[in-house]
Amino acid sequence: MRLRIEWSIIWFLRVVGGLVLIVAVAFPFYWMIIASLTPLARLLADPTDIGIHLGEMIFTTYPEIWNVFHFSRFFANSAYVSIVTVALTLVFSTLGAYAVARLRFRGRTVLSRGILLVYMFPAIAVAIPIYVIFSKLGLRNNLNGLVLFYLAQTFPVALYMLHSYFKTLPPDLEEAGRIDGCSRFSVIWRITVPLSLPAMISVALYTFMIAWNEFLFAFLFLDSPSSYTLPRGIQAVANNVNVSQQLLMTGAVIATVPVVAVFFLFERYFVRGLTAGAVKG
Amino acid sequence: MRIRGERGTLQAQEQRLAYLFLLVPVAIVFLVIIFPTVWNLWLSFHKLSLRDLRTSAPLSLNFTMYSYFKVFGDPDFTSSLIATLTYSIGGTLITLFLGLGTALLLSPKFRGRGAMRGLFLIPYIAPVVAVTFTWRLLLDPRGPIMTALVNVGWLDQPLHLLGQRPLAMMTLVLFQGWRYFPLAFLFIMARLQAIPRTLYEAADVDGATPFQKFFYVTLPQLKLILATLGLLRFMWTFNRFDDVYLLTSGAAGTKVLPVLVVDYLIGQFDVGAGAAAAMALFGCLTLLLIIYFRWVMRRAEQVEV
């Protein structure tokens, strides 16, 4: 009897909880898309009407925000910042992680513990001094300055992930390569990198997500519209009284689609990167 | 002798190579994290406004406690401390609760489980700016949710969920749960799947009911991961800026410490006070961490004995 009661409670919680969660997670994204396509008058007249009315949809908001509100520029800036961050993170953390995993040098233990400490570091604690430095050096409104900061955020996670992956690889192959006369660089390039491709992809995806979504530093350091990234651009557009809900949601869709698309394309790798980096964020 | 000498040079070579490989990451971390942290301490002991910055050399030796007096004397600071604690504790608990619930929900195999898992990760993956503005419009007093609730008759007046005490803080905590439960869920799920089947089989033999199995088998096995996650979520919620700033801008009793720091900087142009507030945040975090670790250590010892 007790068993039956408990099982029915469990099933009830499963079904109800599952449905509530699905709605709570999916609804905002669904509404984001619908709101970007619904004429403003309709949105204001009856906000509760959240159905899909194919005949009445308008697609003018996308060209409008893309051209009139310069989202093409913001998109290009975001793409630039993310791609450069991913590329530099991969190159330098591969070399660094290789050194920590394979080479003997003084300070190795200090370094591998230091990685974890830096990893836990709150960004807000350095916001003010960096703001001051960047202002002094003229790095504000400079996308490369932003990249520099993102690198400091991604290196610890990337070094940690790659170094633990490299440690699982047998060193024999690399030694064989060395004996055959390969230099360290070509051993890394021809043997270590191809073998660690899954970890590399995870690092790349995690880094991409960090750089694409980052708001605090983009907000503090970019104040000329020509240097805005998408998150900064959306925030600026939201403060503009002339901008409708519709346009704001259009911007949100434009910023969301690339990350979510990348996530679904590489879900398995992405999840691995998330769990490694999840300590942060 | 010769062999040893050769090995010595080889080792020296290896060491040089290692330093070369680590040069860029270490330099960047030093430049962008370690040096600024130290300098933040320096700045906090100066009276410095944004305007001074352009003209004066910020390396002056005129130390002053001005910024600390200003920050600690600011009524905003006390209320922001309370707000930060409420937000962090509430946000952490709800994230863990939702994460645990989702992990239990998705632990049995069923059709559509993979799709559900993918869906549940989206709130964390989507840009914070996009989701905060979507929720802001959704929760607006004239937005779809409030209008619907009034139309149905559940509410007489639309609620101002993001602009009213104490509703704004409650909404922020719920949002924190909505956005970060995917992380908790991923970790708990991984741990859940690693629990040895034999434990459940033994419980079955003893005639344990599902609830008993959850409380006496599952939960003790998850204790460590829940504690670790709780600590990490607490820390990250404690210095979370984006979500709060974008949802409420710190209005209606939600001005948490990170928002206060930025407010000193770009609202009052007071670099010194901003740095002092950041130091206070840093200090609180360190203190809480130490307390927590000692507590966990003692608990762990007791459990072992």
Side-chain angles (χ1 to χ4, degrees):
Chain A
M1 189 57 199
R2 181 167 169 194
L3 215 68
R4 258 181 54 197
I5 294 174
E6 286 191 6
W7 272 116
S8 39
I9 295 175
I10 288 172
W11 276 107
F12 177 78
L13 286 177
R14 274 215 177 114
V15 173
V16 174
L19 286 176
V20 168
L21 264 175
I22 290 175
V23 172
V25 168
F27 178 66
F29 294 101
Y30 166 79
W31 189 79
M32 188 197 274
I33 297 168
I34 291 298
S36 77
L37 298 172
T38 310
L40 190 63
R42 190 185 182 101
L43 217 59
L44 294 178
D46 185 8
T48 57
D49 184 6
I50 50 163
I52 302 172
H53 304 281
L54 277 179
E56 290 173 52
M57 279 190 182
I58 47 159
F59 296 92
T60 51
T61 52
Y62 285 87
E64 187 182 349
I65 204 159
W66 190 257
N67 300 318
V68 182
F69 290 90
H70 310 295
F71 266 56
S72 52
R73 185 65 197 258
F74 306 162
F75 193 94
N77 287 343
S78 268
Y80 172 79
V81 168
S82 316
I83 290 168
V84 174
T85 307
V86 169
L88 293 179
T89 302
L90 279 182
V91 171
F92 291 114
S93 55
T94 302
L95 293 177
Y98 182 85
V100 180
R102 288 280 193 266
L103 303 176
R104 276 163 304 162
F105 60 94
R106 212 179 299 171
R108 190 162 94 165
T109 26
V110 177
L111 197 99
S112 45
R113 275 184 208 144
I115 293 176
L116 279 172
L117 258 181
V118 174
Y119 191 49
M120 310 281 286
F121 216 84
I124 191 82
V126 295
I128 289 186
I130 294 191
Y131 186 88
V132 173
I133 300 168
F134 277 27
S135 305
K136 279 256 166 196
L137 296 180
L139 279 174
R140 300 193 54 201
N141 287 320
N142 183 332
L143 292 176
N144 295 321
L146 209 58
V147 168
L148 196 68
F149 181 77
Y150 292 170
L151 287 178
Q153 286 204 308
T154 57
F155 275 149
V157 184
L159 276 174
Y160 179 74
M161 263 186 91
L162 288 178
H163 134 260
S164 30
Y165 197 87
F166 290 169
K167 277 196 155 166
T168 64
L169 298 176
D172 313 10
L173 277 170
E174 289 163 29
E175 275 157 25
R178 296 275 292 154
I179 289 165
D180 288 347
C182 285
S183 69
R184 282 277 183 195
F185 279 107
S186 61
V187 164
I188 295 175
W189 178 243
R190 282 161 208 258
I191 298 169
T192 316
V193 169
L195 285 176
S196 336
L197 219 53
M200 298 276 205
I201 298 174
S202 299
V203 168
L205 293 170
Y206 178 76
T207 312
F208 172 75
M209 186 186 89
I210 294 276
W212 184 268
N213 291 353
E214 206 279 340
F215 173 70
L216 170 59
F217 282 79
F219 168 67
L220 283 179
F221 300 134
L222 308 176
D223 35 34
S224 110
S226 62
S227 67
Y228 283 175
T229 56
L230 276 173
R232 179 69 178 97
I234 292 172
Q235 192 253 350
V237 157
N239 285 341
N240 181 341
V241 279
N242 298 319
V243 169
S244 61
Q245 298 185 17
Q246 230 185 337
L247 273 175
L248 187 54
M249 287 302 96
T250 310
V253 171
I254 291 176
T256 307
V257 164
V259 233
V260 172
V262 167
F263 164 66
F264 279 115
L265 279 176
F266 301 98
E267 190 177 333
R268 199 157 44 94
Y269 299 106
F270 211 119
V271 168
R272 205 178 300 141
L274 278 183
T275 33
V279 185
K280 195 150 190 164
Chain B
M1 266 329 257
R2 250 188 80 200
I3 291 170
R4 195 192 239 174
E6 258 173 29
R7 197 183 283 158
T9 46
L10 260 180
Q11 215 161 9
Q13 226 177 31
E14 200 171 304
Q15 178 153 314
R16 263 202 308 274
L17 194 70
Y19 290 153
L20 183 75
F21 281 180
L22 284 160
L23 187 68
V24 173
V26 170
I28 289 183
V29 165
F30 186 82
L31 197 77
V32 187
I33 292 184
I34 296 171
F35 168 66
T37 311
V38 177
W39 203 30
N40 188 61
L41 188 65
W42 177 284
L43 285 171
S44 70
F45 285 107
H46 284 82
K47 188 180 177 190
L48 198 66
S49 81
L50 263 188
R51 219 168 341 114
D52 301 334
L53 217 58
R54 238 172 285 142
T55 50
S56 81
L59 290 175
S60 82
L61 284 165
N62 296 323
F63 292 105
T64 159
M65 290 293 285
Y66 164 83
S67 302
Y68 285 97
F69 284 130
K70 176 174 172 175
V71 170
F72 290 136
D74 191 342
D76 264 9
F77 178 73
T78 328
S79 55
S80 123
L81 214 54
I82 296 166
T84 315
L85 279 175
T86 319
Y87 179 55
S88 313
I89 295 172
T92 304
L93 289 180
I94 194 155
T95 306
L96 289 185
F97 176 77
L98 286 177
L100 180 62
T102 320
L104 291 173
L105 181 75
L106 294 190
S107 62
K109 281 205 170 79
F110 59 88
R111 270 182 65 182
R113 182 171 81 152
M116 260 168 101
R117 193 182 79 149
L119 174 74
F120 288 165
L121 290 174
I122 300 180
Y124 179 69
I125 284 153
V128 61
V129 178
V131 291
T132 45
F133 281 116
T134 307
W135 276 112
R136 252 170 77 164
L137 294 180
L138 276 174
L139 297 175
D140 190 88
R142 279 172 301 176
I145 293 175
M146 280 304 141
T147 314
L149 288 177
V150 171
N151 286 354
V152 177
W154 289 6
L155 287 175
D156 297 330
Q157 287 275 329
L159 294 171
H160 213 318
L161 280 180
L162 288 166
Q164 219 175 333
R165 279 166 202 265
L167 287 175
M169 183 49 85
M170 285 158 67
T171 314
L172 281 183
V173 166
L174 285 174
F175 177 80
Q176 181 75 16
W178 181 81
R179 186 160 145 75
Y180 296 98
F181 85 90
L183 284 186
F185 148 68
L186 277 180
F187 275 89
I188 297 169
M189 184 83 167
R191 186 69 196 86
L192 208 58
Q193 283 169 342
I195 297 177
R197 291 285 104 203
T198 47
L199 287 181
Y200 291 106
E201 283 157 17
D204 278 336
V205 172
D206 290 344
T209 65
F211 280 19
Q212 285 171 330
K213 275 191 265 181
F214 173 72
F215 285 109
Y216 296 109
V217 180
T218 313
L219 216 49
Q221 290 280 323
L222 294 178
K223 217 161 66 183
L224 196 65
I225 190 81
L226 287 175
T228 317
L229 262 176
L231 167 72
L232 291 168
R233 282 321 310 158
F234 183 87
M235 283 185 57
W236 292 115
T237 317
F238 200 88
N239 51 54
R240 199 81 223 156
F241 168 82
D242 311 2
D243 312 57
V244 182
Y245 184 80
L246 289 166
L247 281 173
T248 66
S249 315
T254 60
K255 192 181 267 179
V256 292
L257 275 175
V259 175
L260 188 72
V261 171
V262 171
D263 188 51
Y264 279 131
L265 180 70
I266 58 173
Q268 306 184 22
F269 308 113
D270 193 336
V271 175
M279 283 315 297
L281 186 143
F282 204 57
C284 288
L285 216 52
T286 317
L287 194 74
L288 288 166
L289 260 178
I290 293 171
I291 295 172
Y292 180 89
F293 269 122
R294 296 186 82 168
W295 178 75
V296 166
M297 291 295 193
R298 221 177 21 225
R299 283 284 297 258
E301 272 164 28
Q302 278 172 1
V303 169
E304 264 169 55
V305 171

mmCIF file with all atom_site columns, all heavy atoms in Angstrom, chain B residues 17-30:
data_model
loop_
_atom_site.group_PDB
_atom_site.id
_atom_site.type_symbol
_atom_site.label_atom_id
_atom_site.label_alt_id
_atom_site.label_comp_id
_atom_site.label_asym_id
_atom_site.label_entity_id
_atom_site.label_seq_id
_atom_site.pdbx_PDB_ins_code
_atom_site.Cartn_x
_atom_site.Cartn_y
_atom_site.Cartn_z
_atom_site.occupancy
_atom_site.B_iso_or_equiv
_atom_site.pdbx_formal_charge
_atom_site.auth_seq_id
_atom_site.auth_comp_id
_atom_site.auth_asym_id
_atom_site.auth_atom_id
_atom_site.pdbx_PDB_model_num
ATOM 1   N N   . LEU B 1 17 ? 61.988 25.430 -22.427 1.00 0.00 ? 17 LEU B N   1
ATOM 2   C CA  . LEU B 1 17 ? 60.875 25.227 -23.354 1.00 0.00 ? 17 LEU B CA  1
ATOM 3   C C   . LEU B 1 17 ? 59.538 25.391 -22.624 1.00 0.00 ? 17 LEU B C   1
ATOM 4   O O   . LEU B 1 17 ? 58.612 26.035 -23.117 1.00 0.00 ? 17 LEU B O   1
ATOM 5   C CB  . LEU B 1 17 ? 60.981 23.835 -23.973 1.00 0.00 ? 17 LEU B CB  1
ATOM 6   C CG  . LEU B 1 17 ? 60.103 23.596 -25.188 1.00 0.00 ? 17 LEU B CG  1
ATOM 7   C CD1 . LEU B 1 17 ? 60.635 24.405 -26.362 1.00 0.00 ? 17 LEU B CD1 1
ATOM 8   C CD2 . LEU B 1 17 ? 60.070 22.117 -25.536 1.00 0.00 ? 17 LEU B CD2 1
ATOM 9   N N   . ALA B 1 18 ? 59.463 24.809 -21.424 1.00 0.00 ? 18 ALA B N   1
ATOM 10  C CA  . ALA B 1 18 ? 58.227 24.889 -20.646 1.00 0.00 ? 18 ALA B CA  1
ATOM 11  C C   . ALA B 1 18 ? 57.889 26.348 -20.348 1.00 0.00 ? 18 ALA B C   1
ATOM 12  O O   . ALA B 1 18 ? 56.739 26.775 -20.498 1.00 0.00 ? 18 ALA B O   1
ATOM 13  C CB  . ALA B 1 18 ? 58.363 24.101 -19.350 1.00 0.00 ? 18 ALA B CB  1
ATOM 14  N N   . TYR B 1 19 ? 58.895 27.120 -19.946 1.00 0.00 ? 19 TYR B N   1
ATOM 15  C CA  . TYR B 1 19 ? 58.644 28.528 -19.650 1.00 0.00 ? 19 TYR B CA  1
ATOM 16  C C   . TYR B 1 19 ? 58.185 29.270 -20.902 1.00 0.00 ? 19 TYR B C   1
ATOM 17  O O   . TYR B 1 19 ? 57.295 30.112 -20.856 1.00 0.00 ? 19 TYR B O   1
ATOM 18  C CB  . TYR B 1 19 ? 59.893 29.199 -19.062 1.00 0.00 ? 19 TYR B CB  1
ATOM 19  C CG  . TYR B 1 19 ? 60.210 28.712 -17.660 1.00 0.00 ? 19 TYR B CG  1
ATOM 20  C CD1 . TYR B 1 19 ? 61.517 28.727 -17.178 1.00 0.00 ? 19 TYR B CD1 1
ATOM 21  C CD2 . TYR B 1 19 ? 59.211 28.238 -16.825 1.00 0.00 ? 19 TYR B CD2 1
ATOM 22  C CE1 . TYR B 1 19 ? 61.810 28.282 -15.894 1.00 0.00 ? 19 TYR B CE1 1
ATOM 23  C CE2 . TYR B 1 19 ? 59.487 27.792 -15.547 1.00 0.00 ? 19 TYR B CE2 1
ATOM 24  C CZ  . TYR B 1 19 ? 60.799 27.808 -15.083 1.00 0.00 ? 19 TYR B CZ  1
ATOM 25  O OH  . TYR B 1 19 ? 61.060 27.363 -13.835 1.00 0.00 ? 19 TYR B OH  1
ATOM 26  N N   . LEU B 1 20 ? 58.790 28.923 -22.023 1.00 0.00 ? 20 LEU B N   1
ATOM 27  C CA  . LEU B 1 20 ? 58.408 29.557 -23.288 1.00 0.00 ? 20 LEU B CA  1
ATOM 28  C C   . LEU B 1 20 ? 56.940 29.257 -23.607 1.00 0.00 ? 20 LEU B C   1
ATOM 29  O O   . LEU B 1 20 ? 56.166 30.152 -23.970 1.00 0.00 ? 20 LEU B O   1
ATOM 30  C CB  . LEU B 1 20 ? 59.320 29.040 -24.406 1.00 0.00 ? 20 LEU B CB  1
ATOM 31  C CG  . LEU B 1 20 ? 59.108 29.646 -25.776 1.00 0.00 ? 20 LEU B CG  1
ATOM 32  C CD1 . LEU B 1 20 ? 59.677 31.058 -25.813 1.00 0.00 ? 20 LEU B CD1 1
ATOM 33  C CD2 . LEU B 1 20 ? 59.754 28.791 -26.858 1.00 0.00 ? 20 LEU B CD2 1
ATOM 34  N N   . PHE B 1 21 ? 56.573 27.988 -23.437 1.00 0.00 ? 21 PHE B N   1
ATOM 35  C CA  . PHE B 1 21 ? 55.196 27.590 -23.741 1.00 0.00 ? 21 PHE B CA  1
ATOM 36  C C   . PHE B 1 21 ? 54.186 28.278 -22.832 1.00 0.00 ? 21 PHE B C   1
ATOM 37  O O   . PHE B 1 21 ? 53.058 28.532 -23.222 1.00 0.00 ? 21 PHE B O   1
ATOM 38  C CB  . PHE B 1 21 ? 55.050 26.062 -23.574 1.00 0.00 ? 21 PHE B CB  1
ATOM 39  C CG  . PHE B 1 21 ? 55.591 25.269 -24.728 1.00 0.00 ? 21 PHE B CG  1
ATOM 40  C CD1 . PHE B 1 21 ? 55.530 23.872 -24.708 1.00 0.00 ? 21 PHE B CD1 1
ATOM 41  C CD2 . PHE B 1 21 ? 56.139 25.889 -25.833 1.00 0.00 ? 21 PHE B CD2 1
ATOM 42  C CE1 . PHE B 1 21 ? 56.025 23.131 -25.771 1.00 0.00 ? 21 PHE B CE1 1
ATOM 43  C CE2 . PHE B 1 21 ? 56.642 25.154 -26.893 1.00 0.00 ? 21 PHE B CE2 1
ATOM 44  C CZ  . PHE B 1 21 ? 56.580 23.764 -26.857 1.00 0.00 ? 21 PHE B CZ  1
ATOM 45  N N   . LEU B 1 22 ? 54.613 28.530 -21.598 1.00 0.00 ? 22 LEU B N   1
ATOM 46  C CA  . LEU B 1 22 ? 53.665 29.083 -20.627 1.00 0.00 ? 22 LEU B CA  1
ATOM 47  C C   . LEU B 1 22 ? 53.700 30.604 -20.576 1.00 0.00 ? 22 LEU B C   1
ATOM 48  O O   . LEU B 1 22 ? 52.920 31.219 -19.869 1.00 0.00 ? 22 LEU B O   1
ATOM 49  C CB  . LEU B 1 22 ? 53.958 28.513 -19.239 1.00 0.00 ? 22 LEU B CB  1
ATOM 50  C CG  . LEU B 1 22 ? 53.474 27.085 -19.052 1.00 0.00 ? 22 LEU B CG  1
ATOM 51  C CD1 . LEU B 1 22 ? 54.189 26.420 -17.892 1.00 0.00 ? 22 LEU B CD1 1
ATOM 52  C CD2 . LEU B 1 22 ? 51.969 27.076 -18.820 1.00 0.00 ? 22 LEU B CD2 1
ATOM 53  N N   . LEU B 1 23 ? 54.597 31.183 -21.350 1.00 0.00 ? 23 LEU B N   1
ATOM 54  C CA  . LEU B 1 23 ? 54.823 32.623 -21.262 1.00 0.00 ? 23 LEU B CA  1
ATOM 55  C C   . LEU B 1 23 ? 53.549 33.444 -21.472 1.00 0.00 ? 23 LEU B C   1
ATOM 56  O O   . LEU B 1 23 ? 53.177 34.258 -20.627 1.00 0.00 ? 23 LEU B O   1
ATOM 57  C CB  . LEU B 1 23 ? 55.891 33.041 -22.277 1.00 0.00 ? 23 LEU B CB  1
ATOM 58  C CG  . LEU B 1 23 ? 56.343 34.487 -22.170 1.00 0.00 ? 23 LEU B CG  1
ATOM 59  C CD1 . LEU B 1 23 ? 57.111 34.694 -20.877 1.00 0.00 ? 23 LEU B CD1 1
ATOM 60  C CD2 . LEU B 1 23 ? 57.211 34.863 -23.363 1.00 0.00 ? 23 LEU B CD2 1
ATOM 61  N N   . VAL B 1 24 ? 52.876 33.179 -22.591 1.00 0.00 ? 24 VAL B N   1
ATOM 62  C CA  . VAL B 1 24 ? 51.728 34.022 -22.929 1.00 0.00 ? 24 VAL B CA  1
ATOM 63  C C   . VAL B 1 24 ? 50.589 33.887 -21.909 1.00 0.00 ? 24 VAL B C   1
ATOM 64  O O   . VAL B 1 24 ? 50.127 34.900 -21.372 1.00 0.00 ? 24 VAL B O   1
ATOM 65  C CB  . VAL B 1 24 ? 51.256 33.754 -24.375 1.00 0.00 ? 24 VAL B CB  1
ATOM 66  C CG1 . VAL B 1 24 ? 49.969 34.500 -24.658 1.00 0.00 ? 24 VAL B CG1 1
ATOM 67  C CG2 . VAL B 1 24 ? 52.335 34.169 -25.351 1.00 0.00 ? 24 VAL B CG2 1
ATOM 68  N N   . PRO B 1 25 ? 50.129 32.663 -21.599 1.00 0.00 ? 25 PRO B N   1
ATOM 69  C CA  . PRO B 1 25 ? 49.054 32.571 -20.599 1.00 0.00 ? 25 PRO B CA  1
ATOM 70  C C   . PRO B 1 25 ? 49.436 33.195 -19.261 1.00 0.00 ? 25 PRO B C   1
ATOM 71  O O   . PRO B 1 25 ? 48.642 33.949 -18.675 1.00 0.00 ? 25 PRO B O   1
ATOM 72  C CB  . PRO B 1 25 ? 48.842 31.062 -20.434 1.00 0.00 ? 25 PRO B CB  1
ATOM 73  C CG  . PRO B 1 25 ? 49.346 30.458 -21.673 1.00 0.00 ? 25 PRO B CG  1
ATOM 74  C CD  . PRO B 1 25 ? 50.460 31.336 -22.151 1.00 0.00 ? 25 PRO B CD  1
ATOM 75  N N   . VAL B 1 26 ? 50.633 32.928 -18.792 1.00 0.00 ? 26 VAL B N   1
ATOM 76  C CA  . VAL B 1 26 ? 51.030 33.468 -17.490 1.00 0.00 ? 26 VAL B CA  1
ATOM 77  C C   . VAL B 1 26 ? 51.103 34.992 -17.553 1.00 0.00 ? 26 VAL B C   1
ATOM 78  O O   . VAL B 1 26 ? 50.614 35.688 -16.660 1.00 0.00 ? 26 VAL B O   1
ATOM 79  C CB  . VAL B 1 26 ? 52.369 32.859 -17.019 1.00 0.00 ? 26 VAL B CB  1
ATOM 80  C CG1 . VAL B 1 26 ? 52.887 33.592 -15.797 1.00 0.00 ? 26 VAL B CG1 1
ATOM 81  C CG2 . VAL B 1 26 ? 52.181 31.393 -16.708 1.00 0.00 ? 26 VAL B CG2 1
ATOM 82  N N   . ALA B 1 27 ? 51.659 35.526 -18.637 1.00 0.00 ? 27 ALA B N   1
ATOM 83  C CA  . ALA B 1 27 ? 51.768 36.977 -18.769 1.00 0.00 ? 27 ALA B CA  1
ATOM 84  C C   . ALA B 1 27 ? 50.382 37.613 -18.778 1.00 0.00 ? 27 ALA B C   1
ATOM 85  O O   . ALA B 1 27 ? 50.140 38.617 -18.098 1.00 0.00 ? 27 ALA B O   1
ATOM 86  C CB  . ALA B 1 27 ? 52.524 37.332 -20.047 1.00 0.00 ? 27 ALA B CB  1
ATOM 87  N N   . ILE B 1 28 ? 49.462 37.024 -19.522 1.00 0.00 ? 28 ILE B N   1
ATOM 88  C CA  . ILE B 1 28 ? 48.133 37.626 -19.605 1.00 0.00 ? 28 ILE B CA  1
ATOM 89  C C   . ILE B 1 28 ? 47.409 37.550 -18.269 1.00 0.00 ? 28 ILE B C   1
ATOM 90  O O   . ILE B 1 28 ? 46.803 38.524 -17.819 1.00 0.00 ? 28 ILE B O   1
ATOM 91  C CB  . ILE B 1 28 ? 47.310 36.968 -20.739 1.00 0.00 ? 28 ILE B CB  1
ATOM 92  C CG1 . ILE B 1 28 ? 47.883 37.410 -22.083 1.00 0.00 ? 28 ILE B CG1 1
ATOM 93  C CG2 . ILE B 1 28 ? 45.844 37.353 -20.640 1.00 0.00 ? 28 ILE B CG2 1
ATOM 94  C CD1 . ILE B 1 28 ? 47.144 36.907 -23.280 1.00 0.00 ? 28 ILE B CD1 1
ATOM 95  N N   . VAL B 1 29 ? 47.503 36.401 -17.608 1.00 0.00 ? 29 VAL B N   1
ATOM 96  C CA  . VAL B 1 29 ? 46.845 36.277 -16.304 1.00 0.00 ? 29 VAL B CA  1
ATOM 97  C C   . VAL B 1 29 ? 47.452 37.274 -15.322 1.00 0.00 ? 29 VAL B C   1
ATOM 98  O O   . VAL B 1 29 ? 46.744 37.908 -14.534 1.00 0.00 ? 29 VAL B O   1
ATOM 99  C CB  . VAL B 1 29 ? 46.954 34.830 -15.772 1.00 0.00 ? 29 VAL B CB  1
ATOM 100 C CG1 . VAL B 1 29 ? 46.622 34.759 -14.299 1.00 0.00 ? 29 VAL B CG1 1
ATOM 101 C CG2 . VAL B 1 29 ? 46.027 33.922 -16.562 1.00 0.00 ? 29 VAL B CG2 1
ATOM 102 N N   . PHE B 1 30 ? 48.758 37.453 -15.393 1.00 0.00 ? 30 PHE B N   1
ATOM 103 C CA  . PHE B 1 30 ? 49.399 38.409 -14.504 1.00 0.00 ? 30 PHE B CA  1
ATOM 104 C C   . PHE B 1 30 ? 48.924 39.827 -14.805 1.00 0.00 ? 30 PHE B C   1
ATOM 105 O O   . PHE B 1 30 ? 48.532 40.572 -13.918 1.00 0.00 ? 30 PHE B O   1
ATOM 106 C CB  . PHE B 1 30 ? 50.923 38.322 -14.651 1.00 0.00 ? 30 PHE B CB  1
ATOM 107 C CG  . PHE B 1 30 ? 51.633 39.178 -13.643 1.00 0.00 ? 30 PHE B CG  1
ATOM 108 C CD1 . PHE B 1 30 ? 51.853 38.723 -12.353 1.00 0.00 ? 30 PHE B CD1 1
ATOM 109 C CD2 . PHE B 1 30 ? 52.059 40.442 -13.979 1.00 0.00 ? 30 PHE B CD2 1
ATOM 110 C CE1 . PHE B 1 30 ? 52.477 39.507 -11.413 1.00 0.00 ? 30 PHE B CE1 1
ATOM 111 C CE2 . PHE B 1 30 ? 52.692 41.247 -13.037 1.00 0.00 ? 30 PHE B CE2 1
ATOM 112 C CZ  . PHE B 1 30 ? 52.900 40.783 -11.754 1.00 0.00 ? 30 PHE B CZ  1
#
